[in-house]
Amino acid sequence: MAENLNDPAADLMETAAPPPGILVSGHFRQAHGYQTHRSFGTKDWLITFTLSGTGHYWLDGRLQPCEPGDIVLLPPGTPHHYATPEGSVWEFVWAHFMPLPHWSEWLTLPSEAGALHMIRIAQQSVRERIREAFQRMIRDSLDLDYYRSRLSLNAMEEILLLAQQAEARVKSGQMDPRVEQVLSHLSQHMKQRHSVEELAAKVALSPSRLAHLFKQEIGESVIDTLLRLRLRQASRLLEYTTMPIAEIADEVGFHNPFYFTKQFTAYYGKSPSQYRKEARKSAADESH
């Protein structure tokens, strides 16, 4: 919990921020004496993930320690000061980034203006996966190759998704393993036809009990979730492959391409062909 302390950031020299860009990242291991002070924040988002030791953040004179497994997110324009406290060596990975449009739903803003947002990753396996994603992101972001830069963005997206998933589980309690099993089955077998009856049988529940439990845990019905999974996978195939639209529709479980186009347009506000055209134009602009 944050404590009220004298703010050590008073009268400190300003720390320069990296030039605003899509993604800049790194890995620091800093002893006591290391500090960063930005009284006007940065023009992009900042994320840090503590690997070992302890770091201290000060915002408006309030101290927030961060320990191994803690993710800190700072929105643009948030004044901040962070440092390694006495007696510690703070090892952390970080990234300054400009979110892609579809990341907005995973960037939960703090309830207080100017506050940081901390997510504590309790599960060791998830911590390790986030650490590995940061390592890939840092490595790929250093390369000027267009494809490597896209891979670094994929790693950033993975980190945000894992953080959001961990926070959602803390807020709602651990997800029921039967619901988790159904979700996993749907994501791995999108092309197949599914029914609540068939899915309920797989997890030894009645259809009505599964429908109720799933809506309670996920916040939407099984069918709505399957539709969302299919459409999001379709958007990735449109963006990153040259597969024909009818083939993409079939690949994600829409056996009628006209119905696929209708559903995709309703969800994304643009047709599959327009979505692909805009994604390619954006990629071409970034590569120049």
Side-chain angles (χ1 to χ4, degrees):
M1 179 178 293
E3 301 174 20
N4 287 312
L5 295 176
N6 293 327
D7 190 345
D11 302 323
L12 284 177
M13 294 280 292
E14 291 287 323
T15 303
I22 295 295
L23 182 68
V24 183
S25 56
H27 179 179
F28 284 173
R29 191 173 188 275
Q30 301 286 352
H32 175 59
Y34 165 76
Q35 58 186 358
T36 291
H37 175 64
R38 300 187 182 105
S39 55
F40 299 99
T42 62
K43 294 181 179 179
D44 48 22
W45 283 78
L46 171 63
I47 184 172
T48 63
F49 178 56
T50 297
L51 302 176
S52 64
T54 302
H56 281 176
Y57 277 86
W58 283 268
L59 288 93
D60 295 328
R62 293 174 64 82
L63 168 66
Q64 175 66 65
C66 53
E67 300 177 343
D70 288 345
I71 285 177
V72 170
L73 270 168
L74 289 168
T78 304
H80 56 267
H81 171 80
Y82 54 88
T84 305
E86 189 172 356
S88 182
V89 176
W90 185 22
E91 183 182 13
F92 63 99
V93 282
W94 57 268
H96 288 267
F97 65 96
M98 300 294 288
L100 297 179
H102 65 279
W103 292 3
S104 58
E105 61 184 294
W106 309 321
L107 291 168
T108 307
L109 289 168
S111 55
E112 299 177 40
L116 59 76
H117 185 60
M118 177 176 283
I119 302 169
R120 185 148 289 160
I121 308 298
Q123 236 178 315
Q124 188 59 41
S125 60
V126 178
R127 289 187 186 184
E128 183 62 22
R129 185 168 175 178
I130 291 173
R131 184 188 65 80
E132 290 172 356
F134 262 107
Q135 287 178 334
R136 295 197 310 272
M137 178 175 65
I138 293 167
R139 183 176 62 248
D140 289 334
S141 67
L142 294 173
D143 199 302
L144 296 178
D145 178 76
Y146 166 74
Y147 298 100
R148 295 288 290 274
S149 69
R150 298 300 293 187
L151 286 169
S152 69
L153 289 173
N154 286 347
M156 185 72 246
E157 182 168 316
E158 180 181 356
I159 291 163
L160 293 176
L161 283 168
L162 289 167
Q164 182 73 7
Q165 180 186 52
E167 187 169 49
R169 288 184 174 180
V170 167
K171 287 178 178 177
S172 62
Q174 187 68 28
M175 186 184 295
D176 188 289
R178 295 164 296 185
V179 172
E180 199 160 10
Q181 185 180 338
V182 168
L183 268 177
S184 177
H185 182 76
L186 291 176
S187 63
Q188 293 175 36
H189 301 90
M190 262 182 256
K191 192 172 181 177
Q192 297 178 9
R193 297 182 186 274
H194 298 283
S195 68
V196 175
E197 290 75 17
E198 162 249 327
L199 294 167
K202 286 184 179 297
V203 293
L205 289 173
S206 71
S208 60
R209 176 59 181 153
L210 173 63
H212 175 78
L213 187 62
F214 196 94
K215 181 71 178 287
Q216 177 180 292
E217 297 257 332
I218 304 302
E220 60 185 3
S221 70
V222 175
I223 300 306
D224 286 343
T225 298
L226 177 58
L227 176 63
R228 179 166 52 85
L229 289 171
R230 284 172 167 168
L231 292 172
R232 288 188 176 179
Q233 177 63 8
S235 73
R236 294 184 180 97
L237 294 175
L238 286 165
E239 188 169 355
Y240 298 113
T241 77
T242 58
M243 291 169 63
I245 290 173
E247 191 176 328
I248 288 174
D250 184 67
E251 180 66 24
V252 299
F254 289 94
H255 305 297
N256 181 328
F258 298 104
Y259 180 67
F260 164 67
T261 296
K262 179 181 178 181
Q263 293 294 326
F264 190 95
T265 304
Y267 189 80
Y268 283 102
K270 60 193 74 174
S271 69
S273 57
Q274 183 65 25
Y275 185 95
R276 171 172 271 172
K277 180 180 178 182
E278 292 181 9
R280 287 179 175 175
K281 182 180 184 304
S282 176
D285 290 344
E286 288 176 17
S287 63
H288 289 99

